[in-house]
Amino acid sequence: ETLQSPRHGGESVADVLRAHGVKFVFTLVGGHISPILVACEKLGIRIVDTRHEATAVFAADAVARLSGTVGVAAVTAGPGLTNTVTAVKNAQMAESPLLLIGGAAATLLQGRGALQDIDQMSLFKPLCKFCASVRTVREIVPTVRRALAIAQSGTPGPVFIEFPIDTLYPYHVVEKEFAPKNTPKGLMGKIIAWYLQNHLSNLFAGAWETCDLSPLPVHIPHATEDEVQRCVELVSRAKKPVILLGSQATLPPTPADDALESLGIPCFLGGMSRGMLGKNSPLHIRQNRRDALKEADLVLLAGTVCDFRLSYGRVLNRQSKIIAVNRDRSQLLKNSDMFWKPTVAIQGDAGSFLLRLSKALKGHRCPEEWPRSLKEGDAIKEKANRAKADEKTERHLNPLSVLHRVDELLAEDSIIVADGGDFVGSAAYIMRPRGPIRWLDPGAFGTLGVGGGFALGAKLCRPESEVWIVYGDGSLGYSVAEFDTFTRHKTPVIALVGNDACWSQISREQVPMLGSNVACGLAFTDYHIVADGYGGKGYLIGREDESQLDDIIKKAQKECREGKAILLNALIGKTSFREGSISV
């Protein structure tokens, strides 16, 4: 009956995805993967097609972060897959669990010069935790189940499965393709016919036997009792403890937010943990991190890595006790042989560790005057920033002023997507995400072009939320075409473009150091008209609109609620804010 069945491998893929609670598959269509897309749609999984394969993977990444499950992208063979490489590497470095499904040339034709046939496996091996090439239809279910579990286990990350086209179509279609057109006569002809028939039978053998579709267990490393106990002693003795939270602290199953309140220790939030303490927590310190680390007698690195973001560990004080917690051993100990030494290094989940620590320290709180003095430092710095926002720029609007106004009018449920250099660097200081996983940035890879995909994934996961993309005018160019996707898929978002006609983050060093602005100049382009052309709504905002800025923002929010994707093309001038911050 296998041979008569109209069923196809694409249905097996869809069955497993549905059993794992996958709600969206992001794609850019291609003949190699059509059966998967059609089968998913039939089962009620929403197929969201983008204008670039990288966007599809960025959107899957955002879904992974916001939903706590695996994000899924499906793209066609060859150039479809090579177009995703940057986005997959970004997900690997951001530790996002996602499944990349790729098409591939037919099993018999691989390496023979078929259309779009390249060695995809060696391309993705360094980027993914798990890579598999499906060779028979019966392998599909176990392979996809295994990949989904691996993506979420240990340190989460991307996984890749390629599906040769003949594993995805029904038997009668594949048989027609396999039938030799004009076989040589005699023995050779018989051998070829037998070989092809054999290959075909094996390809479909046992294809439709019922099998388990349910999720396999996900393995997450945890701190031991002894490790927790040692840390309880260290924290209870500390007078000036500090916690540095990284993205891992937001991972399921245990986000760390509740534990932090009861510990009462001042926190610096980085990556996806921004927003974890809400908008105005007395424990959330935003400024003067270097000074605080000099003074601290205990530093807890909860998923924070000693890479360039912490000057490779050099900002840590040699006298401080240091507790490091990370699921990934190489990240846990990064540069510890050179610039810093952990007192306790724990390979385990940061969120559940913080929860156990706070339970064991019930009743103990960090001395109040320590967070209070750090908060006072914040207030002084923020006052200076406000003063910078009130300065007049030589031309156009003051970017800091624009960001302050937007921050004040953001809806409480809003999600901020950060995609850019200079303007976004300023936004990171000024905008206050209102809750955990409400600030999405690329992560440690510093990738430009995430905006369209991240916003698409975020709006689908949180349709009620206001989703903002903060773009530089440089980075906007990568994903402005996704305004077409926002319109077609009814996922209205608001993009704020800081338009200074320049790749400023690079220019601010290149010009003084090397004396040339080559390749850094852009134009004050009419991006708002581009948004109109894609079915959205664009606004040009210049200095003469300064007094109406609040009204324009509120109007944009209202139109977005009514279903229009909005682009605010804000013409901005230069300020001295973040002077000396470097781009390498």
Side-chain angles (χ1 to χ4, degrees), residues 543-582:
R543 180 172 278 185
E544 62 289 353
D545 306 301
E546 191 152 19
S547 56
Q548 285 97 57
L549 194 52
D550 287 12
D551 296 335
I552 295 169
I553 294 165
K554 286 177 188 159
K555 190 171 181 218
Q557 290 171 309
K558 179 173 180 290
E559 287 180 333
C560 184
R561 283 195 297 275
E562 288 162 5
K564 272 262 191 244
I566 309 291
L567 187 147
L568 304 176
N569 184 10
L571 305 181
I572 56 171
K574 308 260 185 239
T575 72
S576 61
F577 187 59
R578 290 175 65 247
E579 207 137 68
S581 66
I582 53 171

XYZ file of all heavy atoms in Angstrom, residues 543-582:
314
model
N 13.033 69.203 11.488
C 13.092 70.168 12.586
C 11.802 70.976 12.701
O 11.337 71.265 13.808
C 14.284 71.102 12.392
C 14.386 72.123 13.525
C 15.666 72.924 13.455
N 16.774 72.189 14.052
C 17.990 72.696 14.204
N 18.267 73.910 13.766
N 18.959 71.997 14.772
N 11.199 71.289 11.561
C 9.975 72.119 11.604
C 8.788 71.366 12.234
O 7.784 71.974 12.590
C 9.612 72.652 10.202
C 9.302 71.584 9.138
C 10.542 70.794 8.661
O 11.685 71.132 9.038
O 10.341 69.817 7.927
N 8.939 70.036 12.395
C 7.847 69.242 13.006
C 8.080 69.013 14.500
O 7.318 68.282 15.136
C 7.750 67.864 12.322
C 7.607 68.005 10.814
O 6.636 68.635 10.378
O 8.486 67.506 10.083
N 9.131 69.613 15.050
C 9.522 69.309 16.427
C 8.377 69.510 17.411
O 8.140 68.684 18.288
C 10.723 70.170 16.842
C 11.329 69.698 18.146
C 12.816 70.008 18.262
O 13.331 70.880 17.523
O 13.468 69.354 19.092
N 7.636 70.609 17.225
C 6.559 70.903 18.190
C 5.405 69.893 18.064
O 4.644 69.705 19.008
C 6.047 72.327 17.997
O 5.630 72.474 16.652
N 5.285 69.258 16.895
C 4.195 68.265 16.724
C 4.650 66.822 16.951
O 3.888 65.886 16.706
C 3.628 68.328 15.289
C 2.732 69.510 15.007
C 3.529 70.624 14.339
O 4.126 70.408 13.294
N 3.557 71.791 14.957
N 5.901 66.645 17.407
C 6.462 65.289 17.470
C 5.572 64.325 18.253
O 5.285 63.218 17.790
C 7.879 65.346 18.059
C 8.735 64.100 17.899
C 8.793 63.636 16.455
C 10.152 64.342 18.409
N 5.111 64.756 19.430
C 4.258 63.873 20.241
C 2.995 63.481 19.487
O 2.565 62.322 19.520
C 3.885 64.544 21.573
C 5.086 64.591 22.521
O 6.204 64.322 22.060
O 4.893 64.893 23.714
N 2.399 64.459 18.792
C 1.154 64.174 18.055
C 1.409 63.182 16.925
O 0.595 62.289 16.670
C 0.563 65.469 17.475
C 0.157 66.438 18.580
O -0.110 65.947 19.704
O 0.128 67.662 18.342
N 2.547 63.344 16.248
C 2.868 62.429 15.134
C 3.042 61.004 15.672
O 2.541 60.034 15.099
C 4.139 62.895 14.392
C 3.893 64.244 13.709
C 4.576 61.856 13.358
C 5.146 64.921 13.170
N 3.758 60.884 16.810
C 3.980 59.552 17.396
C 2.638 58.923 17.782
O 2.367 57.750 17.476
C 4.933 59.632 18.614
C 6.336 60.063 18.169
C 5.007 58.278 19.338
C 7.252 60.509 19.304
N 1.774 59.702 18.427
C 0.456 59.167 18.838
C -0.390 58.769 17.631
O -1.093 57.758 17.655
C -0.287 60.207 19.688
C 0.286 60.334 21.101
C -0.429 61.426 21.871
C 0.258 61.697 23.205
N -0.078 63.019 23.736
N -0.295 59.577 16.565
C -1.042 59.265 15.340
C -0.525 57.946 14.744
O -1.293 57.091 14.303
C -0.870 60.415 14.344
C -1.779 60.308 13.153
C -1.740 61.582 12.300
C -2.688 61.405 11.131
N -2.212 61.965 9.889
N 0.808 57.791 14.753
C 1.415 56.556 14.233
C 0.931 55.352 15.046
O 0.593 54.299 14.493
C 2.934 56.660 14.294
N 0.872 55.511 16.375
C 0.417 54.406 17.232
C -1.035 54.043 16.914
O -1.387 52.863 16.850
C 0.564 54.802 18.711
C 2.026 54.882 19.156
C 2.196 55.468 20.544
O 1.661 56.541 20.854
N 2.940 54.791 21.402
N -1.851 55.059 16.683
C -3.277 54.822 16.399
C -3.417 54.103 15.045
O -4.134 53.114 14.917
C -4.021 56.164 16.382
C -5.509 56.067 16.075
C -6.191 57.443 16.246
C -7.679 57.380 15.941
N -7.931 57.172 14.490
N -2.702 54.597 14.032
C -2.802 53.976 12.702
C -2.261 52.553 12.711
O -2.743 51.687 11.994
C -2.062 54.826 11.663
C -2.826 56.097 11.332
C -2.118 56.962 10.302
O -0.874 56.888 10.218
O -2.810 57.711 9.610
N -1.255 52.325 13.544
C -0.713 50.977 13.661
C -1.762 50.043 14.272
O -1.955 48.917 13.809
C 0.565 51.006 14.494
S 1.385 49.406 14.597
N -2.439 50.527 15.320
C -3.526 49.714 15.918
C -4.617 49.414 14.900
O -5.284 48.390 14.959
C -4.138 50.443 17.117
C -3.293 50.373 18.378
C -4.076 50.789 19.617
N -4.529 52.169 19.572
C -3.783 53.222 19.943
N -2.541 53.044 20.369
N -4.271 54.455 19.868
N -4.795 50.326 13.948
C -5.833 50.122 12.912
C -5.328 49.251 11.765
O -6.044 49.022 10.791
C -6.318 51.489 12.393
C -7.187 52.214 13.422
C -7.324 53.717 13.134
O -6.816 54.179 12.071
O -7.920 54.419 13.972
N -4.057 48.800 11.847
C -3.609 47.804 10.870
C -2.576 48.253 9.853
O -2.242 47.498 8.938
N -2.052 49.468 9.973
C -1.050 49.938 9.008
C 0.362 49.814 9.594
O 0.590 50.204 10.736
C -1.280 51.422 8.700
C -2.267 51.659 7.555
C -1.517 51.906 6.243
C -2.467 52.404 5.156
N -2.587 51.479 4.029
N 1.308 49.319 8.794
C 2.717 49.365 9.217
C 3.237 50.782 8.962
O 3.000 51.350 7.901
C 3.538 48.353 8.419
N 3.909 51.347 9.949
C 4.293 52.762 9.900
C 5.813 52.912 9.836
O 6.535 52.173 10.516
C 3.800 53.504 11.181
C 2.318 53.245 11.438
C 4.107 55.003 11.100
C 1.362 53.853 10.459
N 6.286 53.893 9.052
C 7.703 54.231 9.058
C 7.856 55.724 9.357
O 7.301 56.562 8.638
C 8.351 53.895 7.709
C 9.881 54.059 7.651
C 10.498 53.024 6.703
C 10.310 55.453 7.204
N 8.547 56.027 10.446
C 8.825 57.422 10.817
C 10.248 57.755 10.374
O 11.213 57.252 10.952
C 8.687 57.611 12.333
C 7.341 57.203 12.952
C 7.392 57.344 14.477
C 6.194 58.028 12.384
N 10.355 58.549 9.329
C 11.662 58.905 8.777
C 12.119 60.192 9.466
O 11.795 61.292 9.037
C 11.514 59.097 7.264
C 12.839 59.369 6.565
O 13.905 59.243 7.167
N 12.773 59.754 5.298
N 12.842 60.034 10.586
C 13.247 61.186 11.401
C 14.614 61.690 10.956
O 15.622 60.990 11.097
C 13.274 60.791 12.874
N 14.644 62.896 10.408
C 15.909 63.497 9.991
C 16.624 63.999 11.237
O 16.086 64.807 11.983
C 15.659 64.657 9.022
C 14.831 64.322 7.772
C 14.678 65.556 6.896
C 15.462 63.181 6.973
N 17.827 63.478 11.479
C 18.527 63.813 12.730
C 19.900 64.419 12.441
O 20.512 64.143 11.405
C 18.694 62.576 13.652
C 19.425 61.432 12.926
C 17.334 62.113 14.182
C 19.833 60.264 13.803
N 20.367 65.230 13.408
C 21.697 65.820 13.312
C 22.686 65.062 14.186
O 22.384 63.996 14.725
N 23.874 65.619 14.337
C 24.936 64.949 15.106
C 25.007 65.510 16.532
O 24.811 66.703 16.735
C 26.293 65.205 14.446
C 26.341 64.879 12.955
C 26.981 63.523 12.719
C 27.153 63.229 11.241
N 26.466 62.028 10.807
N 25.307 64.637 17.505
C 25.559 65.092 18.879
C 26.881 64.477 19.340
O 27.424 63.586 18.677
C 24.467 64.615 19.866
O 24.638 63.212 20.073
C 23.065 64.881 19.351
N 27.350 64.900 20.492
C 28.615 64.330 21.007
C 28.353 63.132 21.930
O 29.264 62.604 22.543
C 29.372 65.405 21.795
O 28.578 65.822 22.895
N 27.086 62.698 22.022
C 26.738 61.572 22.898
C 27.494 60.322 22.442
O 27.640 60.071 21.262
C 25.226 61.339 22.825
C 24.703 60.331 23.802
C 24.880 60.508 25.165
C 24.006 59.215 23.371
C 24.391 59.584 26.081
C 23.505 58.287 24.279
C 23.694 58.479 25.627
N 27.973 59.545 23.388
C 28.725 58.308 23.116
C 30.007 58.572 22.337
O 30.490 57.720 21.602
C 27.874 57.295 22.323
C 26.751 56.681 23.106
C 25.848 55.781 22.274
N 26.549 54.613 21.778
C 26.806 54.403 20.493
N 26.465 55.247 19.585
N 27.431 53.303 20.130
N 30.576 59.773 22.458
C 31.828 60.057 21.754
C 32.917 59.102 22.249
O 33.002 58.825 23.436
C 32.256 61.503 22.016
C 33.096 62.052 20.874
C 32.685 63.475 20.506
O 32.916 64.374 21.332
O 32.121 63.670 19.411
N 33.705 58.615 21.317
C 34.776 57.717 21.738
C 34.337 56.264 21.840
O 35.144 55.379 22.076
N 33.010 55.992 21.661
C 32.608 54.577 21.659
C 33.060 53.995 20.331
O 32.947 54.637 19.299
C 31.093 54.448 21.788
O 30.460 54.978 20.647
N 33.607 52.789 20.360
C 34.245 52.294 19.139
C 33.404 51.239 18.455
O 32.525 50.621 19.045
C 35.661 51.737 19.420
C 35.605 50.703 20.535
C 36.623 52.850 19.732
C 36.902 49.952 20.711
